[in-house]
């Protein structure tokens, strides 16, 4: 299996390495492995959903 670093995943997914570290530490990226103090993420891993935002919420000016 091929792996990428936090920096590579950050460039690929458009989020900060710190947020990816948080996802790894909380088990939200399946297959992520920590060796010493470095996380390795499978290259085919999917970006986890950001639970801070609802996908069904209305946009500005829209009503339900």
């Amino acid at each position: 299996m091929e792996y990428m670093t936090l920096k590579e995943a950050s460039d690929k997914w458009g989020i900060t390495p710190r947020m990816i570290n948080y996802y790894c530490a909380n088990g939200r990226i399946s297959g992520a492995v920590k060796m010493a103090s470095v996380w390795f993420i499978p290259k085919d891993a999917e970006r986890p959903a950001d639970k801070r935002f609802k996908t069904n919420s209305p946009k500005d000016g829209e009503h339900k």
Side-chain angles (χ1 to χ4, degrees), residues 6-27:
L6 290 178
K7 175 67 175 141
E8 293 168 332
S10 172
D11 293 339
K12 180 179 177 181
W13 294 338
I15 54 179
T16 64
R18 177 67 185 111
M19 196 66 184
I20 297 170
N21 185 61
Y22 173 79
Y23 289 151
C24 290
N26 287 297

Side-chain angles (χ1 to χ4, degrees), residues 2 4 12-13 29-32 41-48:
E2 292 187 34
M4 59 184 163
K12 180 179 177 181
W13 294 338
I29 300 176
S30 75
I41 302 159
K43 286 202 182 252
D44 60 350
E46 301 262 336
R47 176 184 173 178

Side-chain angles (χ1 to χ4, degrees), residues 54-64:
K54 291 183 180 179
T55 57
N56 298 347
S57 62
K59 308 261 188 279
D60 288 337
E62 291 182 3
H63 298 285
K64 284 188 174 183

